[in-house]
Amino acid sequence: MSIKQVSKDTEVDERLAALSTNANAIRAIASAVEGTLGPKGLDTMLVDKFGDVVITNDGVTILEMMEVNHPAARMMINTAKAQQDEIGDGTTTASIMAGTLVTEGLEQIKRGVPVTRVIEGIKAGIKMAVQYFKDSAAAIEKLDDPVLKEVSWVAGRGNDDIAELVFDAANMIGREKLLDTNFKLSDCIFAQHGADNQLIKGCIINKERVSSDMPRELGDCNVLFIDDALEPEQLDEEALSNEAGFNRFIRLQEEFQENLKKLSKLGVGLVLVDRGIHDIAEEFFIDAGIMAVQRVSHKELKKAAEFTGARMIKRTGLKKSVEELRTYLGHIDKVYEDEHLEQIRILGGAGKPMATILVGAATEEVVGERERIARDAAAALQAAIKGGIVPGGGSIELAAASFLESNREQVRGMAVYGINCVVEALKKPFSQIVFNAGFNPLEKQGDVLAIQKQENNIGYAIDCDTGQVIDMRKLGVVDPVLVKIYALRAAGEIAEAILRIDTIIKKRPDKTADNRVKDEFEF
């Protein structure tokens, strides 16, 4: 190699130093999760400095818990979290495709392709692939379609019991609720150490009764939910320092007790409170035979209110007349406390259908992973109902890569090199699944593409047990198309953001923040 060539390579390396550094960080993140992909993917152990251990196969959990300092790596993790929040699955696929897009993009830029042309091609390729996914998807018409159970089974990493529970829960809740953008089936998952797997037609409150002297079980009663503290109106110390203030304090206490008596007249058997419950109210509830639960999260309150047909009320609302208060009540067939699991179960609500999936395990470490598996299965099933399904096992991505290769002419000029990046990224999930199963990715990729073309069937991929080419749909391996779409778009967003970074500059400290810290320690 000539001195002139060495000098030229050095200039290229210096010019791309920031991009190379960022690309290495992205590759490191992708490599941390790629070994978990597919049915033969392995677990990852995360250990902190105190010796606390988490063993998981869940990509987003690994990303959230791993110690990361590099800003580009944090960008990727934040995007993966956004993918999880939006669609509930596919973070591992998004991460490994992002790693490939950035790696391939860097290689094209090193060859002299302008960054803007690479990004242009990546955006065009992702748009084409997304449309290909949509055109290939099969809609789910009925909730009792067995293919939904297969979707849950795949996302639930082959756990038949979890797939069955999620499938039954979806049918219990109904299509209308599952299509509601504000409802997440994954939020209906509860994991408990020592519990048995159960599907409950109702909701669970992870709290106990305020007092063991209250009824442990009640049936056929009204319910009231208070989105506030349940206590008398408070007066400051200055107001209590004179006789008039003290008399007002006594009147407020008496008024509070009179308001509580209205609940007995209304047949209220269960009261859920967002904050604390005053001793006066606790004593009244014990005497009246009412079960009360305090410090219930707003999320649980909202879910229970929807299930029972109740409307949440503030404590000042108790001043309303009995007839007005009646409009805020819900109704249930049964409520009881499971003292072993330390939770309240509400059954037979008069409001909208609700299901709760209770997942149990023998140890604390395992129950956490079982909860993550169940949430993935639930999110995948809901996504399938919303957008339809495509064959899994990396087959649809491989078919999309072949489609892009055959339609490069739609993109002109040097942007075609960006298309090549997307093609390689789409091939990556299949290759990683095959590699994790112990087979040669290049060999199997060629076999699958040949049969897909020969049979005119994009559903072919590899049986990870035998290594044979097989139709994924016949094997019951199907995925929600929305997971594929979101994963590819998320990977594209990461790649575009990273490839656009030309320089990394250390930011000067925020003086405002420094002054705030300084003020806190000055007396």
Side-chain angles (χ1 to χ4, degrees), residues 276-321:
I277 293 178
H278 195 275
D279 291 346
I280 293 175
E282 180 181 340
E283 185 177 350
F284 173 81
F285 290 147
I286 292 172
D287 292 340
I290 295 173
M291 181 191 295
V293 185
Q294 64 182 349
R295 310 199 187 284
V296 179
S297 71
H298 183 78
K299 190 175 184 179
E300 288 183 327
L301 267 183
K302 187 177 178 181
K303 186 189 297 185
E306 190 173 336
F307 174 61
T308 61
R311 296 161 58 200
M312 287 188 280
I313 192 172
K314 297 294 183 181
R315 62 178 173 179
T316 53
L318 293 177
K319 296 179 182 179
K320 297 178 184 291
S321 68

Side-chain angles (χ1 to χ4, degrees), residues 131-433:
Q131 190 58 52
Y132 184 84
F133 289 157
K134 290 179 179 179
D135 293 341
S136 304
I140 303 296
E141 302 295 341
K142 298 180 179 179
L143 284 183
D144 59 356
D145 190 332
V147 75
L148 284 175
K149 193 179 296 184
E150 294 171 352
V151 170
S152 297
W153 181 81
V154 172
R157 303 172 218 168
N159 285 269
D160 293 320
D161 56 340
I162 288 177
E164 188 78 34
L165 286 171
V166 170
F167 177 75
D168 291 342
N171 280 273
M172 187 180 290
I173 289 170
R175 188 182 188 89
E176 180 183 351
K177 189 66 179 176
L178 292 168
L179 292 175
D180 184 349
T181 55
N182 296 317
F183 174 77
K184 290 185 178 181
L185 183 59
S186 58
D187 288 340
C188 297
I189 307 293
F190 279 81
Q192 190 83 31
H193 171 225
D196 295 325
N197 289 347
Q198 293 180 54
L199 176 60
I200 300 165
K201 192 175 183 179
C203 54
I204 291 177
I205 306 297
N206 269 328
K207 295 285 182 179
E208 298 177 273
R209 294 166 290 169
V210 173
S211 169
S212 58
D213 292 327
M214 293 175 180
R216 192 187 72 82
E217 180 178 329
L218 290 168
D220 190 24
C221 62
N222 291 328
V223 296
L224 180 67
F225 299 151
I226 300 173
D227 185 22
D228 202 348
L230 185 56
E231 58 187 22
E233 186 178 335
Q234 300 297 306
L235 299 177
D236 56 37
E237 290 185 9
E238 185 178 348
L240 291 170
S241 63
N242 55 66
E243 185 178 351
F246 183 75
N247 289 335
R248 174 164 169 71
F249 170 76
I250 296 298
R251 285 197 302 273
L252 289 173
Q253 298 271 317
E254 292 172 347
E255 181 184 89
F256 182 63
Q257 294 182 57
E258 289 302 315
N259 289 334
L260 290 173
K261 291 177 182 178
K262 297 174 187 177
L263 303 187
S264 293
K265 295 177 182 178
L266 291 165
V268 172
L270 173 66
V271 176
L272 300 186
V273 181
D274 178 71
R275 301 179 200 171
I277 293 178
H278 195 275
D279 291 346
I280 293 175
E282 180 181 340
E283 185 177 350
F284 173 81
F285 290 147
I286 292 172
D287 292 340
I290 295 173
M291 181 191 295
V293 185
Q294 64 182 349
R295 310 199 187 284
V296 179
S297 71
H298 183 78
K299 190 175 184 179
E300 288 183 327
L301 267 183
K302 187 177 178 181
K303 186 189 297 185
E306 190 173 336
F307 174 61
T308 61
R311 296 161 58 200
M312 287 188 280
I313 192 172
K314 297 294 183 181
R315 62 178 173 179
T316 53
L318 293 177
K319 296 179 182 179
K320 297 178 184 291
S321 68
V322 171
E323 289 307 312
E324 285 181 293
L325 281 174
R326 196 181 301 279
T327 63
Y328 287 86
L329 302 182
H331 190 83
I332 55 174
D333 292 338
K334 184 178 180 181
V335 57
Y336 70 96
E337 179 183 318
D338 188 317
E339 293 176 311
H340 172 63
L341 299 178
E342 299 178 345
Q343 56 188 212
I344 303 294
R345 299 191 181 188
I346 305 172
L347 310 176
K352 294 183 179 179
M354 184 67 67
T356 299
I357 302 167
L358 184 62
V359 179
T363 65
E364 290 289 351
E365 292 78 12
V366 175
V367 79
E369 182 68 353
R370 292 271 290 173
E371 180 177 14
R372 290 186 283 270
I373 290 170
R375 289 185 181 276
D376 284 350
L381 182 142
Q382 189 171 8
I385 292 168
K386 289 181 176 181
I389 57 167
V390 288
S395 61
I396 187 68
E397 291 95 338
L398 208 55
S402 180
F403 173 78
L404 260 62
E405 287 180 317
S406 302
N407 290 273
R408 295 177 200 267
E409 67 278 2
Q410 294 184 24
V411 179
R412 297 181 180 180
M414 300 188 81
V416 73
Y417 293 103
I419 294 286
N420 294 341
C421 298
V422 180
V423 168
E424 293 306 313
L426 287 166
K427 291 178 179 178
K428 183 63 176 178
F430 172 85
S431 298
Q432 194 63 52
I433 289 170

Side-chain angles (χ1 to χ4, degrees), residues 455-493:
E455 299 293 330
N456 192 27
N457 182 350
I458 63 172
Y460 281 99
I462 295 297
D463 183 335
C464 289
D465 289 324
T466 65
Q468 299 299 308
V469 179
I470 189 170
D471 188 340
M472 292 289 100
R473 285 170 290 210
K474 291 182 179 178
L475 198 63
V477 179
V478 287
D479 293 322
V481 69
L482 291 180
V483 171
K484 304 293 186 184
I485 290 171
Y486 275 87
L488 183 56
R489 283 177 174 166
E493 289 173 8

Side-chain angles (χ1 to χ4, degrees), residues 29-64:
I29 294 296
S31 65
V33 296
E34 63 186 14
T36 67
L37 192 65
K40 301 298 181 182
L42 301 177
D43 292 341
T44 297
M45 177 185 286
L46 297 115
V47 185
D48 66 14
K49 62 182 180 181
F50 301 108
D52 188 34
V53 175
V54 173
I55 299 173
T56 183
N57 186 268
D58 185 54
V60 73
T61 302
I62 296 169
L63 294 176
E64 286 180 336

